[in-house]
Amino acid sequence: KKPTEPTDSELPTYEQTGSIGESGGKIQISNENSPLYGCYVEIPRGALKSTTTIKIDTVAKSYSFEGDSTNLFVSLEPSGITFEKPIKIGIPFNNNNNNADILKIYYFNEDELIWESLPTVDIDLNNRLIIAETNHFTVFTVDVIKVRSEEHTS
């Protein structure tokens, strides 16, 4: 068995934005009126080398996923930051998607200008969250599993 990671309650927790250092922390959205309600970022000890202001925000609808601009697009900031070890993110999925098993978190690859999926580590049906691990920040969204369109270019 692996040693247990610190539980959520042991990490300092902030609402929407906060300064997190080497000892780790969690940013969450607990305002039920926010479209980002339930969204969180959990940064373990050692993932950051220096104290950084971490923020969760919505993104202007200049993004679209497979032509759909109605998705919830979540910006985790500072965009482009990379972490020393994987961090956990939870992104809400909307009420139209009742089959959570076919949902994935996608991130926008700024270099190639394509959406790429992250491996799902958990699905929280009670809070309607898809949970994944990542080592960097950019724009994220949740959608049904798609066939990667770039694999079918001629």
Side-chain angles (χ1 to χ4, degrees), residues 2 6-7 17 20-21 24-25 32 38 47 59 64 70 77 79 81 83 90 93 95 115 124 140 143 153:
K2 292 182 183 173
T7 62
T17 187
I20 296 179
E32 292 183 21
V59 176
S64 72
T70 63
E77 299 167 14
S79 187
I81 189 174
F83 297 90
F93 58 93
N95 295 329
W115 290 97
D124 180 341
F140 297 86
D143 208 311
T153 56

Side-chain angles (χ1 to χ4, degrees), residues 38 71 73 75 77 87 90 113 118 123 135 138 142 147:
N71 282 23
F73 296 99
S75 175
E77 299 167 14
I87 63 159
L113 303 179
L118 292 172
I123 297 171
N135 66 352
T138 182
V142 168
V147 175

Side-chain angles (χ1 to χ4, degrees), residues 58-64 73 75 139:
T58 53
V59 176
K61 294 287 183 189
S62 56
Y63 284 90
S64 72
F73 296 99
S75 175
V139 173

Side-chain angles (χ1 to χ4, degrees), residues 24-98:
K26 183 174 179 178
I27 308 289
Q28 66 184 16
I29 304 290
S30 59
N31 175 356
E32 292 183 21
N33 298 318
S34 169
L36 296 174
Y37 175 65
C39 192
Y40 74 86
V41 176
E42 193 175 292
I43 300 172
R45 175 180 294 278
L48 283 169
K49 284 187 171 168
S50 59
T51 301
T52 305
T53 299
I54 304 294
K55 184 177 182 186
I56 301 172
D57 214 345
T58 53
V59 176
K61 294 287 183 189
S62 56
Y63 284 90
S64 72
F65 183 87
E66 302 280 323
D68 183 357
S69 62
T70 63
N71 282 23
L72 175 65
F73 296 99
V74 180
S75 175
L76 299 181
E77 299 167 14
S79 187
I81 189 174
T82 57
F83 297 90
E84 301 294 314
K85 56 170 81 168
I87 63 159
K88 253 190 212 162
I89 62 173
I91 308 281
F93 58 93
N94 70 34
N95 295 329
N96 301 336
N97 290 312
N98 288 318

